[in-house]
Each structure stands twice: as structure tokens, then as C-alpha cells.
Amino acid sequence: ISAEKGEFEKPKKKSASIFGYPISIFFIVVNEFCERFSYYGMRAVLVLYFKYFLGWDDDFATTIYHTFAALCYLTPILGAIVADSWLGKFKTIIYLSIVYAAGQVILAVSAIHDITDTDRDGTPDNMTFHISLSMVGLLLIALGTGGIKPCVAAFGGDQFQDHQEKQRGTFFSIFYLSINAGSLLSTIITPVLRAQECGIHKQRECYPLAFGVPAALMVVALIVFIVGSGMYTKTAPQGNIMVKFCRCVGFAIKNRFRHRSSAYPKREHWMDWAEEKYDKLLIAQVKMVLKVLFLYIPLPMFWALFDQQGSRWTLQATTMNGDFVMTDLSPLQTINPILILVLVPIMDSLIYPLIAKCNLNFTALKRMTVGMFLAALAFVCAGLIQLQIDETLPKFPSGAEAQVKFINMIEGEAISVNAGGHVYELKPFDVRETHTDTHAQVCFSDITAKPEKGANSIRFLNGWTSKLNVTVGESSFGDIVANNMSVYVSVGQGEPQFKIMDASGNECVFTQSLGFGSSYTNVIPPTFAFGENCAASIRPIMDISPNSVHMALQIPQYFLMTAGEVVFSVTGLEFAYSQAPSNMKSVLQAGWLLTVAFGNIIVLIVAEAATLEEQWAEYILFASLLVVVCVIFSVMAYFYTYIDPMKIEAQFAHPDSDELKRKGSFDKNKVHDPHGKQRKDSDSSREGDRAAETKM
């Protein structure tokens, strides 16, 4: 019998099953795997796309990235309302998946540089078109992924009969595993796809492929879900409890404001002012939810740090030595899903039982506090690594100074240079840098910034007697006349071969070992001659040293952040489930997703308001803010008293509870043990299965 309408509900139809499980869940699990592959694959390269394709600086790329992430966690509320009040879960998933797939396709199309590359130089000539298309695509993706987020898992649960609780629990474990599997594979594959080169006229990093594969997976997800349509158990929309919750709270506030005069007697709780319109059971349920939502207030700060793995930490990796297991600049993004799959069972099967055997009262809220502290430590590690990176960066002149470089190309003879009253002696092919006033003439301009994307900026100085042409792969340095300098060409890590040719067709191959982020001036001396050992006379002169801080040093910060995520997020979801009324768990789920959205908004505010020039200082600032919030949360947790929602709800269903309902005198904030003692932060009332996953 429906508790709201007082009428008999239509029993679920029995769907085809195998090994006791509905066949329909197969389509739902495959759909979720493909959708999560699509989302995390796209997001893995998104901030790099902003910076290196659209040409945005680090701060603006970070701002747009976190704005998009915030939207992805704001739209679930809209999806839940549409599903429960209007379309139902099935139609909501179908319609918003179409929007989602369209957004992915539009984003992939926006990354095709040939669309506006009229001069065929590999750079789009109408960047406004690409930016506009990208923003439309991301907006549709945020609406789609957020809108279906609260529907898919719940729709999967709807496929089971009431007696299949065990199978339902197994389904959710498989469901969460599919999320991690999709996330793990996509964060491995899409960066590799991005590193490929593609283009009709000019080859460059293949963002269309990196976004196109996730788009294709989203189309597959939609098709798979539609194929299973005839096997699903579909429930009609029953009215959204979230809307009812908001209306009840809103009425209580308005009613309290109307009766703010001292002539009206005070009520025990401000929500009691809703009694004129709503029954006491609903009001009691709202009070329980508000207690947990109050604890949610400090939580966005954790997500503010957590989601910077995809922005600031990825950009940090581009300034490091990427000679790693994988050649892409951000291989450590794959560590997060791998560590989740490893750490969740370790925590459940080893760490928590061991703590329990030591008789330590490690409650849910205490675990969440530890998770926040671990995330703060991760950012301290990131700040320390950034300090090491900063020490390796080149020192460029500032203010009223300019930098002048002298290169002695005279074989076997030293020369003296008088610059600004200082005399320098240069040995053959020695380099001397000095600073002088800005009015000094400079023949050739040096690179003025560290090469991006871990590439190497290479140029050639032709000291030979005639014009030379130099190429590497499909890139050309052009014709370099005698005693002149070529343009800079970006060359990847490895051992590229430079082909040097003269007007007569003579060829010399020069091989150079390159790391990540260096700059060289390769000097072709006057004594250069074509022949078997022609490359031996070419002298590479280092202008900017390669990235020397190894990317492996990021592993500790990723480990600490993932450990914090497992302790914080899994426990938080479990805590919210155990403390929520049976019919309002979706409200707390929406509240949890909102903390993620607000966390990304915090990143935008802090990054813009702090205006810190040093990146390490920003990392330490975020760590410090989280420590402060951690202390505040621990105080709130100390005064929180766990409740048993079923016991409180039972007071209103019991025939002897009329007096309690009339007075509203049930204990809303306390649960007493048999001896009448108040129970505080001691037991998490662990109801339901522990979620074996933290990504949403």
C-alpha cells in the first residue's frame, strides 16, 4: 500500500533472469561502464585541451575546468526532479543520454583544427568558433551526465524483486566496479590517443580522437540501454520527495517569519512551525535530514582539493620529467582508480577490523576527518614538489634589464668580451650570459619561457659559409643563411634525427638526445663539412635545462589523496545512508553531490581572489584551509549524536504514539541506550552495503 496515496501499488513484473539475476541489469552495467569511460576519458585531457589547443593560460583553464565540474554536480538535482515528478527514470536516462552524446560529439568536432585552418599552418584561424563549439558541448555534457547520475543506479535497483536483496547488493558491487573499470581504462587510453598526431594539412596532437572515442562510447552506452528496453521493470513517477522536502522547509521558514512576534509561544524546533500544513512524520524526517545536511557544510573544501587532480596537478606534471612507465604527460591520473580498487578492500578487510580489535572508537565522522587531513597532506606534498620544480626553472631578466648571450664559434681560440664594464673570456663554443640595459642591441631573440607540454625548443645557428636547410620529421627550420639563426621548432622527447642539407643536395644527419622541457641552440661551426662524421662538429648549447624533477615524485600526493578519498567519500556515503529516513535517502544523495559542486566553486573563488604568483603558495593555502575546516568539522562531529531513523519513524506508526505525535516530544537529537545514557559519536549505525567505490 502506498504510504502517500493510501492505495495499492502495482507489483513489479517478473523479468527474465539468469542465476537469479534479472537479465536487464546486464544492459545497465554495460551502459554505466561506457558512460563512465566517456566522462572520465574526456575529462582526463580537458585541461590540456584548454591550454594547448584553445591557448588559455593555466589560471583560466583551471577556472573553466572547475566551472564545468561544478555544473556536472549541480544538474543531478534537476535530473532527479524530472525523473521522479515527470518522465520517470527510464525516459529521463534516454532523453538526457541523447543530450549527453550530442555534447560529446560537438566537443570532438570543436577540436578539429582543420575546420578553420585556412592557411594550413596547423593553427585554427577562427578560435572563437572552436571556443563557442567547445562551450556548447561541455554545457550539454554537464546536463547529460549530471541528469542521469541519480537515475541509473536507482533504475538498476528497481529491476529486483523485494526478495532479491542479496542479488541487489551484488549488483551494486558490480555496478561500482564497472564505474572504476571505465574510469581506469579511459584515463589510460585517452591521453595516449591525444598524443597521436592527426590532421589533413598539418599534423598536431589529436584531440578529435581523444574526444571522439569517448563520444563513440557514449553512443554505444545509449544504444545498449535502448536494446534492453523490453526487459526493464519501469516504475511510473511517484512525485518527488525532494520537492516535498523543500516545500516543507520553505513553509516552516515562512510560517516562523509570520509568527515572529513575542506574542506567539516558541516551539521546540523551528521545523515545528510546519505542523499547520504537514504531518509530524514528514517533519520528523526533515529534521533528521537537516541534521546531516548541517554536517555537510564543511565538506566542499575536501572536494576543492580533490578535483584539482585533473587541473593543477595535471599542469604540474607538464613541467616534470615524464620519462615514466607511460610517455604521456599525465600518466599518474590512472593511479587514482587503481588505488581505489586496491585500498577499498584493504580498508574494509584489514585496517578497520584491526582498529576495532584495538578497541579504538573509529566512527564514521572520525574517519571522514582523517580523510580530510590526508587530502591536506597531499597538497603539502604537491607544494614541496612545486618548490623543487621552481628551482629548476630558468631565471629570466626583469625590470629594466635584458639578457645578452655571447657564443664563441672560433675553433681553438679564446676571445674576450667587454660587456657593461665586465670582461668575459670565452673559450671555443663556450657561452656567456650577461645582463645589460634594455637599450642594448640583441641580434637574435632567445626563448623567454619554459617550453610547454614537456616539448623541447630547438634552433640552429648556421656559422657555415653558405645557406643550409634543416628538417626534423615533418617540421622544417627553413633555409638558414650564413651567420644567421633559425626559428625555434618544438621537438618531442627521445632521439630525433635532424637532416641538414645544402643547395647541392649534400645531406648530414645529426642525432640529439632530448628529455622534457629543454631548449638548445645547435651551432653549425665554420669548420663544418659534409661527410661521414659531419655531425661530430655540431655543438649543442643548452639554453634551458630539461625538466629534472621526476614525475614519480607525484606518487605520494596521489596516494595520500586517494587514501583520503576512500576514507572520506565511501564513509560519507555510508554515514548519510544510515542517518537518512527511508524515503529521503535521495535528498541526502543530492546534498552530497552538491558538496562536490560547491567544492569546485571554492577553487574558482580562491584561485581568483588569492592572486598568488607562486603555485606552491597556492597549494599550501588550500592545504591550510582544509586543515582549518578539518578542525571545525571534528568539533561538529564531536557534538553530533547518531540516530536510528527507523526507531524515530516507528514512534509515529505505533498506536501508543499519539501523545508523542501531538506534543512532538520524541527525542530528535538523541538516541538512548537501555540505561538511559545519551550516545554520542560512537556508532555509525552501519546500515546497508558499503559502497565499494567513490566516483560518481
Side-chain angles (χ1 to χ4, degrees), residues 32-46 48 65 100 104 177-195 206-207 209-218 326 328 330-338 341 693 695-696:
E32 184 66 12
F33 169 82
C34 294
E35 188 274 327
R36 290 291 86 185
F37 185 107
S38 177
Y39 176 74
Y40 284 106
M42 173 274 300
R43 210 176 76 162
V45 298
L46 187 59
L48 300 177
Y65 176 90
Y100 191 170
Q104 290 280 37
L177 181 62
S178 71
I179 293 174
N180 270 315
S183 169
L184 174 60
L185 289 176
S186 65
T187 50
I188 292 174
I189 293 173
T190 52
V192 174
L193 297 177
R194 180 193 71 90
C206 203
Y207 287 102
L209 183 61
F211 291 141
V213 170
L217 263 291
M218 190 57 224
M326 299 172 63
D328 190 72
S330 53
L332 292 177
Q333 289 188 35
T334 61
I335 286 182
N336 179 261
I338 293 173
L341 294 174
E693 212 284 321
K695 287 185 170 57
M696 293 167 285

Side-chain angles (χ1 to χ4, degrees), residues 5 81-89 234-240:
K5 299 182 180 180
I81 293 174
V82 169
D84 291 346
S85 303
W86 181 27
L87 294 177
K89 299 185 193 71
K234 304 168 188 173
T235 57
Q238 300 291 325
N240 195 282

Side-chain angles (χ1 to χ4, degrees), residues 675-690:
H675 302 288
K677 295 180 180 179
Q678 181 176 332
R679 176 161 58 91
K680 284 199 173 183
D681 189 5
S682 59
D683 182 17
S684 61
S685 302
R686 297 175 63 172
E687 295 181 13
D689 296 324
R690 173 185 294 274

Side-chain angles (χ1 to χ4, degrees), residues 9 53 72 108 125 147-148 179 204 275 320 353 483 513 529 537 671 696:
E9 291 182 342
F53 186 92
C72 289
D125 298 318
I148 69 174
I179 293 174
R204 62 177 299 177
E275 290 179 354
M320 303 178 75
N483 297 317
S513 297
S537 63
V671 174
M696 293 167 285

Side-chain angles (χ1 to χ4, degrees), residues 63 202 265 278 339 373 394 437 470 567 627 694:
T63 297
K202 181 78 172 181
Y278 296 92
L339 285 176
F373 184 70
D437 294 335
V470 182
V567 177
V627 169
T694 59

Side-chain angles (χ1 to χ4, degrees), residues 130-193:
H130 293 273
I131 292 174
S132 301
L133 215 58
S134 299
M135 295 303 102
V136 170
L138 290 176
L139 187 61
L140 294 178
I141 292 171
L143 179 61
T145 187
I148 69 174
K149 198 183 295 291
C151 300
V152 179
F155 186 71
D158 290 344
Q159 307 309 305
F160 294 87
Q161 302 291 321
D162 293 339
H163 65 276
Q164 294 179 302
E165 291 184 7
K166 182 178 179 181
Q167 290 90 335
R168 185 187 289 113
T170 304
F171 160 73
F172 281 116
S173 296
I174 298 172
F175 184 82
Y176 292 134
L177 181 62
S178 71
I179 293 174
N180 270 315
S183 169
L184 174 60
L185 289 176
S186 65
T187 50
I188 292 174
I189 293 173
T190 52
V192 174
L193 297 177

Side-chain angles (χ1 to χ4, degrees), residues 364-517:
L365 295 179
K366 289 178 180 177
R367 293 200 296 269
M368 293 174 68
T369 304
V370 170
M372 297 168 78
F373 184 70
L374 290 174
L377 286 181
F379 261 64
V380 171
C381 289
L384 293 176
I385 291 174
Q386 190 64 45
L387 281 172
Q388 296 184 50
I389 294 173
D390 291 346
E391 290 179 358
T392 67
L393 297 179
K395 307 299 181 185
F396 295 107
S398 60
E401 286 188 330
Q403 188 180 75
V404 180
K405 182 179 295 182
F406 298 91
I407 303 175
N408 177 14
M409 292 197 301
I410 302 177
E411 190 75 45
E413 182 179 341
I415 62 173
S416 296
V417 176
N418 189 326
H422 297 277
V423 178
Y424 304 99
E425 182 176 326
L426 275 72
K427 296 178 181 179
F429 296 100
D430 192 9
V431 179
R432 174 69 65 176
E433 294 180 357
T434 184
H435 293 80
T436 184
D437 294 335
T438 54
H439 63 265
Q441 283 191 326
V442 180
C443 295
F444 310 112
S445 297
D446 278 0
I447 188 172
T448 58
K450 186 82 169 175
E452 295 184 333
K453 298 184 282 188
N456 303 276
S457 294
I458 308 298
R459 64 179 177 178
F460 280 82
L461 176 57
N462 181 12
W464 203 47
T465 55
S466 62
K467 180 173 65 176
L468 294 172
N469 180 272
V470 182
T471 59
V472 55
E474 296 185 358
S475 300
S476 174
F477 293 83
D479 292 330
I480 315 170
V481 299
N483 297 317
N484 211 327
M485 189 83 74
S486 74
V487 296
Y488 280 104
V489 171
S490 182
V491 183
Q493 178 264 354
E495 295 190 352
Q497 292 185 330
F498 300 90
K499 292 183 179 180
I500 305 171
M501 299 181 64
D502 64 2
S504 301
N506 295 312
E507 182 177 300
C508 177
V509 177
F510 170 64
T511 303
Q512 187 174 12
S513 297
L514 298 175
F516 294 85

Side-chain angles (χ1 to χ4, degrees), residues 11 97 193 293 296 326 432 441 443 527 549 558 580 626 646 654:
S97 291
L193 297 177
L293 289 180
Y296 279 3
M326 299 172 63
R432 174 69 65 176
Q441 283 191 326
C443 295
T527 56
V549 180
Y558 274 94
L626 185 56
M646 293 181 65
H654 196 278

